[in-house]
Amino acid sequence: MSNARAARPTRRGILAAGGALGLGAVLAACGDDDASSGGSQSAAARASAKSGPWTFKDDRGTTVKLDKIPANIVAFTGVGAALHDYGIQVKGVFGPTTTADGKADVQAGDMDVTKVTVLGNVWDEFNVEKYAALAPDVLISTMFDSAGTLWYVPEASKDKIAKLAPSVGVSVYDRRLTAPLERMWALAESLGADLTTTAVTDAKKKFEDAAARLRAAAKAKPDIKVMAGSASADLFYVSGTNLSIDLEYFKALGVTFVEPPESAKAQGGGWYESLSWENVDKYAADIIMMDDRSSTIQPSAITEATWKKLPAVKAGQVIARSPEPILSYAKCVPLLENLAEALEKAKKVA
């Protein structure tokens, strides 16, 4: 994914800066009802699901119905990584999957990227012929707007892709992290995942404990200001808490964030403010959370003198942020724990 930005924000540019395209009303909450509709399936129910019909109502309000549980699943890389944590293996992925050296991208999680068919590794890349050859039962992706746009499915080929298999969309737009986590849990369960295993139940408990720890840390350090940033060669992006599932959740737990005014975020579709490196010190911050995706410049590679002079940088109070969290409890625990630890150790430096 390129770091280049156009004058008018695109979905590609906005998310690379730590957000995603999404203007307008919040998605209807019909999908959330499904997420909280009950506990895990019994072994017998899972076995029945594998041989019986499968239905799932996604966050667009669309109900997908198949004769049996999907076997050939193709998903956005982050979705595939989340399902992997629940024991569901996908056949193909699209989105950031491997780095230039062939290793797994941060968004691939614990998936063995050598055992999945990569249909596209960068924005606007999706091999429709390879997709058709997989004989897909369903395509699953996240959605970063209220219109139900499937993330990383190219606009130019979306109609061809739609004809080959039904799709499921999980919304990560303008809601707190817990909502899409519950939806992914429900989706994995419908696909036959055993959510009663120790690994899965322990991860969920650890998430709850980490949330309590972060809440306590934020309460103890209300004067510590956190800034969510993302770096490109020419610009530094400061994300507001609105719209992003992680920041909205952290704010709800009591974390104090730098909040660019709405007028300043206008060019970023309401997600972020763009700053030149000369103006990177516009906001006072005690902790800086930096976008960890491979499409962005990482803190260790930032050479601008203005960056190095920031109080949080000089104090070593810079941590990673995952603007596109892998939606399993296991992968989200560190996000909470790392921020909690940073708050616990932080000194007021701004």
Side-chain angles (χ1 to χ4, degrees), residues 97-339:
T97 307
T98 58
T99 57
D101 58 5
K103 295 181 180 179
D105 188 274
V106 65
Q107 291 184 256
D110 293 329
M111 277 195 304
D112 184 343
V113 296
T114 67
K115 295 183 178 179
V116 292
T117 299
V118 181
L119 303 174
N121 199 50
V122 297
W123 184 259
D124 253 354
E125 182 180 86
F126 192 113
N127 191 312
V128 180
E129 290 72 25
K130 281 188 177 181
Y131 179 56
L134 290 173
D137 294 320
V138 68
L139 178 148
I140 309 172
S141 190
T142 46
M143 302 182 298
F144 285 89
D145 61 23
S146 60
T149 305
L150 296 173
W151 191 233
Y152 265 79
V153 173
E155 182 70 22
S157 54
K158 67 177 184 179
D159 292 338
K160 291 181 181 179
I161 293 167
K163 291 177 181 178
L164 295 170
S167 62
V168 167
V170 177
S171 177
V172 288
Y173 171 70
D174 197 19
R175 42 178 48 186
R176 295 174 186 171
L177 179 60
T178 46
L181 274 173
E182 290 168 0
R183 294 295 287 141
M184 193 62 69
W185 175 283
L187 176 59
E189 184 176 48
S190 78
L191 292 170
D194 183 356
L195 302 182
T196 66
T197 65
T198 300
V200 171
T201 57
D202 282 357
K204 193 171 186 181
K205 177 61 166 58
K206 287 178 180 178
F207 179 88
E208 294 164 354
D209 291 344
R213 178 184 175 185
L214 179 54
R215 187 188 295 277
K219 185 176 182 180
K221 298 280 187 73
D223 59 330
I224 297 295
K225 272 202 167 186
V226 180
M227 180 167 68
S230 184
S232 73
D234 300 319
L235 296 170
F236 183 83
Y237 304 88
V238 179
S239 292
T241 56
N242 290 341
L243 308 183
S244 296
I245 58 173
D246 60 330
L247 302 184
E248 285 200 12
Y249 184 53
F250 299 156
K251 183 180 179 180
L253 292 175
V255 179
T256 303
F257 281 95
V258 167
E259 295 282 7
E262 292 303 316
S263 58
K265 295 187 294 181
Q267 280 197 324
W271 290 84
Y272 62 85
E273 177 180 1
S274 305
L275 299 175
S276 67
W277 283 104
E278 289 76 14
N279 295 316
V280 74
D281 60 352
K282 179 177 179 178
Y283 297 106
D286 303 291
I287 296 172
I288 302 176
M289 302 177 69
M290 289 295 291
D291 189 338
D292 68 354
R293 288 168 297 179
S294 56
S295 59
T296 65
I297 299 176
Q298 296 307 299
S300 61
I302 298 175
T303 59
E304 281 75 8
T306 49
W307 163 262
K308 294 180 179 180
K309 291 179 181 178
L310 293 178
V313 175
K314 293 171 69 176
Q317 295 180 173
V318 178
I319 64 172
R321 177 200 170 204
S322 298
E324 291 184 70
I326 292 172
L327 296 173
S328 71
Y329 288 101
K331 290 297 182 293
C332 288
V333 167
L335 309 184
L336 298 171
E337 290 182 336
N338 292 345
L339 181 53

Side-chain angles (χ1 to χ4, degrees), residues 46-61:
R46 290 193 302 274
S48 175
K50 290 182 183 294
S51 59
W54 181 78
T55 63
F56 189 81
K57 185 178 182 181
D58 75 359
D59 291 340
R60 299 169 297 186

